[in-house]
Amino acid sequence: MFYALTLTPPYVSLWAPLGLLAALSILYAAIYRAFFHPLAKYPGPLLAKVTGLYMVNQAIRCRDTYTRYELHQRYGKVVRTGPNELCFADAASIKDIYGQSSEPCLKAPYFYDGFTLTGTSSVFSSTDRIGHARMRRLLSHGFSERGVLCFHDEIRIMVERYLSIMSQSTPTIAKTEPAVELHDLTHNLFLDITSQLSFGKSFDILIGGDHDGARDIETYFNICPLFGVFPVARYLPFGPFKAARKAQPRIIRFVRSCIDDFKVRLSQGTSQAGLLRLMVEAKDEETNSSFSVNELIENAVIFIIAGSGTTAATLLYLLYEVGRRLEIQGKLEREVRATFPDLDAFPDFETATKLPYLNCVVQEVLRLRAPIPTVAPRVSPGKVIGGEYVPAGTIVSNLAYTTQRDGSVFHNPDSFIPERWEHPTAEMKVMHRPFSTGPRNCVGMHLARVQLLLTVCALYQRFEISLDPRMTEDMMVQRDQGVMTPVAKQLWVRIRPRKVD
Ligand code: HEM
């Protein structure tokens, strides 16, 4: 022991000053960030002001959105959520951050760079203004409200399949247990539709069960948002990181083969309508360019990621919120059944989109249970945001989760009241943005609406639906993992096919 002690002085002399220097640098950075940084005047938790690890910890615990919301309740409409980050919840900054502008706040690369398979950007992950505008032009025709109506038949076929699986399950299960679980079935419906449109070939999970490509995409995209924040995570040799790395080349091979097959069918004149066809055939006049193969891969995959879980979660929450309120359910059923009385005639979108109460219900679900009300970070170019100058390079966002619950704009903000949308105020329209707003709003908004309205109309047209008593609010708490989905991953309902004399 004494021998050991006699060895310590040289180490002490080497490490002690280094340790002291490190401690002093950390202390200096913390004091600077808390009291002298250009963002020092903004309120927020002390820990968030001095280290980005505060919000990283919230994200790892799936509490990023909830924590930001709580911070807005505590500190007000502008909160410093990181050493170099401000999170807003007022009306003015929505336009300043996300609106069309000659000085736009571009998407923050640290967040969006992770969403790539090949190293090429998709329309979602692009952080470059000009490159992004080119992709939006290439996609604009097919994603327009008229454009997505070309996919009506593909969508109808899948929804018919979904309904038929439900009516088949009901009588057999009914002998012992008159309930059907809709969470997985609904996710599979939208995975099947989106893969049909994006890859020209459906996963067919509704009829065929598990699909390797779908599993790989889920494995990779559950982890890849971390790659932007911690690039080193791409190379970690264990657990989900390793699984994601292994899935990556398989996804690229799979999507490339779908594209190749599709091009053959296109040349033979046997291909169907869909997003892939739109992308393969699109030409941008302004740059005289088309999508490269890697851009086709990136975009086809991002449509699956951005388009299936979001639409599924919206439908599940609609069935849940409506199912809990008999009065609302009755009103919706009466509207749908009076409009589409013939059970053999599948509802059409042009009629469905004009149903006033249905539209109110969808708006209210998207207000209270939006799938992406989460942080959408942008970089300030150095401009006035929400009335104050925000220095260049500051990460800024405006949280829809908070604005859509603002009690000064939405009365009884935590209650589900579709009627509030019968006469929305101008402020409600600004604060409500489930599909975001401005040049980076959701390109798939019209497609989502077509899928949702057709499925909801067909469900209430054909079935008597009621919530199973086992459903509790705890099961439907939104799990905050980028896309907000029911934590229990279950929605149990009782379903009886309707009979009309
Ligand atoms: C109810 C369903 C949906 C909701 C609530 C929704 C919501 C959103 C939101 C909030 C954004 C902005 C995200 C950000 O800035 O980080 C977004 C972007 C996007 N969404 Fe959707 N989405 C839905 C369905 C879809 C569908 C069906 C597709 C395509 C098949 C799609 C494709 C995209 C893409 C590609 C972007 C990026 C657009 C760009 O940056 O130019 N979404 N969506």
Side-chain angles (χ1 to χ4, degrees):
M1 189 174 171
F2 278 115
Y3 179 69
L5 275 178
T6 57
L7 276 181
T8 50
Y11 294 101
V12 169
S13 64
L14 182 66
W15 289 110
L18 281 179
L20 191 65
L21 200 64
L24 283 175
S25 322
I26 292 172
L27 190 66
Y28 168 78
I31 291 174
Y32 169 76
R33 288 173 171 182
F35 303 108
F36 302 103
H37 191 280
L39 303 184
K41 63 179 176 187
Y42 292 99
L46 182 62
L47 209 53
K49 292 178 181 181
V50 300
T51 170
L53 291 176
Y54 179 85
M55 284 314 295
V56 170
N57 178 37
Q58 306 304 324
I60 290 170
R61 294 167 54 219
C62 296
R63 285 207 45 83
D64 184 281
T65 308
Y66 296 122
T67 300
R68 287 171 193 273
Y69 176 67
E70 286 155 16
L71 293 178
H72 283 304
Q73 308 301 305
R74 198 160 139 209
Y75 294 104
K77 296 208 167 176
V78 192
V79 183
R80 190 171 170 202
T81 42
N84 190 34
E85 185 186 332
L86 295 176
C87 189
F88 293 77
D90 61 321
S93 67
I94 295 176
K95 191 161 182 297
D96 297 334
I97 297 174
Y98 300 105
Q100 196 73 256
S101 163
S102 54
E103 297 173 295
C105 294
L106 298 177
K107 279 192 169 179
Y110 86 89
F111 187 81
Y112 292 95
D113 276 358
F115 290 85
T116 168
L117 283 162
T118 63
T120 302
S121 295
S122 68
V123 67
F124 174 78
S125 65
S126 168
T127 54
D128 156 53
R129 187 185 189 184
I130 295 185
H132 170 260
R134 169 185 157 265
M135 280 199 256
R136 283 294 284 238
R137 283 195 302 274
L138 280 163
L139 294 172
S140 61
H141 169 63
F143 274 108
S144 67
E145 189 165 347
R146 282 185 72 81
V148 296
L149 285 182
C150 299
F151 314 145
H152 198 286
D153 264 3
E154 280 77 8
I155 296 171
R156 179 187 52 76
I157 291 167
M158 300 288 179
V159 176
E160 294 272 22
R161 195 176 279 171
Y162 170 76
L163 300 178
S164 136
I165 293 173
M166 269 184 208
S167 40
Q168 282 160 19
S169 340
T170 321
T172 29
I173 298 173
K175 286 178 195 148
T176 50
E177 174 56 271
V180 183
E181 201 290 291
L182 288 190
H183 178 277
D184 290 358
L185 196 61
T186 305
H187 271 266
N188 294 343
L189 164 67
F190 293 110
L191 274 171
D192 277 0
I193 297 178
T194 323
S195 52
Q196 174 65 48
L197 298 180
S198 305
F199 299 156
K201 189 159 95 182
S202 172
F203 288 147
D204 277 342
I205 308 180
L206 279 177
I207 45 176
D210 223 4
H211 186 284
D212 290 345
R215 205 175 329 100
D216 278 343
I217 289 173
E218 192 185 350
T219 305
Y220 185 78
F221 282 90
N222 270 345
I223 285 293
C224 79
L226 267 182
F227 296 162
V229 191
F230 296 122
V232 82
R234 261 185 205 280
Y235 309 100
L236 294 177
F238 52 83
F241 307 102
K242 187 175 168 190
R245 205 173 53 250
K246 286 185 146 185
Q248 181 182 6
R250 288 198 299 261
I251 303 172
I252 297 174
R253 270 199 306 278
F254 165 67
V255 184
R256 195 184 286 265
S257 76
C258 291
I259 293 171
D260 290 344
D261 290 354
F262 183 80
K263 283 181 175 167
V264 171
R265 291 205 299 283
L266 194 62
S267 65
Q268 294 166 344
T270 54
S271 67
Q272 291 161 302
L275 295 168
L276 184 55
R277 176 164 186 169
L278 150 84
M279 289 196 289
V280 168
E281 292 182 339
K283 282 248 158 17
D284 178 36
E285 308 261 299
E286 217 170 299
T287 53
N288 193 23
S289 65
S290 313
F291 278 119
S292 69
V293 172
N294 278 356
E295 285 175 336
L296 289 176
I297 295 174
E298 294 288 346
N299 283 302
V301 172
I302 213 67
F303 297 152
I304 304 274
I305 301 306
S308 58
T310 46
T311 316
T314 308
L315 178 62
L316 290 167
Y317 278 114
L318 186 149
L319 294 172
Y320 173 68
E321 295 292 1
V322 168
R324 290 159 87 192
R325 297 169 177 87
L326 292 185
E327 210 180 302
I328 292 178
Q329 176 153 342
K331 208 167 156 182
L332 182 60
E333 282 170 354
R334 283 193 294 281
E335 186 180 75
V336 169
R337 290 170 187 176
T339 314
F340 301 110
D342 179 359
L343 293 189
D344 294 326
F346 191 83
D348 66 282
F349 179 73
E350 280 98 335
T351 312
T353 194
K354 292 188 194 117
L355 296 186
Y357 197 61
L358 173 62
N359 276 300
C360 290
V361 168
V362 171
Q363 285 287 67
E364 188 64 348
V365 174
L366 287 171
R367 183 186 71 82
L368 212 50
R369 301 291 202 162
I372 317 188
T374 46
V375 67
R378 307 291 191 255
V379 185
S380 167
K383 70 172 190 179
V384 173
I385 296 179
E388 295 233 23
Y389 180 82
V390 176
T394 306
I395 302 296
V396 289
S397 57
N398 182 301
L399 196 70
Y401 190 88
T402 310
T403 62
Q404 292 176 188
R405 283 170 174 72
D406 188 322
S408 66
V409 178
F410 302 96
H411 66 95
N412 292 336
D414 296 325
S415 303
F416 184 82
I417 311 174
E419 287 73 11
R420 73 171 86 241
W421 292 105
E422 282 167 359
H423 303 289
T425 62
E427 257 191 317
M428 284 165 73
K429 289 185 194 164
V430 171
M431 298 294 251
H432 181 63
R433 55 213 158 86
F435 294 101
S436 193
T437 179
R440 302 306 298 253
N441 75 344
C442 176
V443 75
M445 178 171 71
H446 298 302
L447 178 58
R449 272 183 59 78
V450 172
Q451 297 181 69
L452 273 172
L453 297 195
L454 290 181
T455 315
V456 172
C457 286
L459 274 168
Y460 289 113
Q461 178 201 39
R462 311 252 176 114
F463 293 107
E464 301 291 353
I465 306 173
S466 59
L467 267 194
D468 188 74
R470 87 185 73 181
M471 286 310 300
T472 62
E473 177 54 26
D474 282 352
M475 294 167 77
M476 293 302 281
V477 166
Q478 287 181 290
R479 185 175 163 78
D480 179 10
Q481 261 188 316
V483 176
M484 311 269 270
T485 52
V487 67
K489 299 188 177 204
Q490 292 173 37
L491 179 71
W492 289 94
V493 293
R494 296 175 180 216
I495 288 188
R496 204 158 25 89
R498 273 184 72 221
K499 290 199 172 46
V500 178
D501 302 327

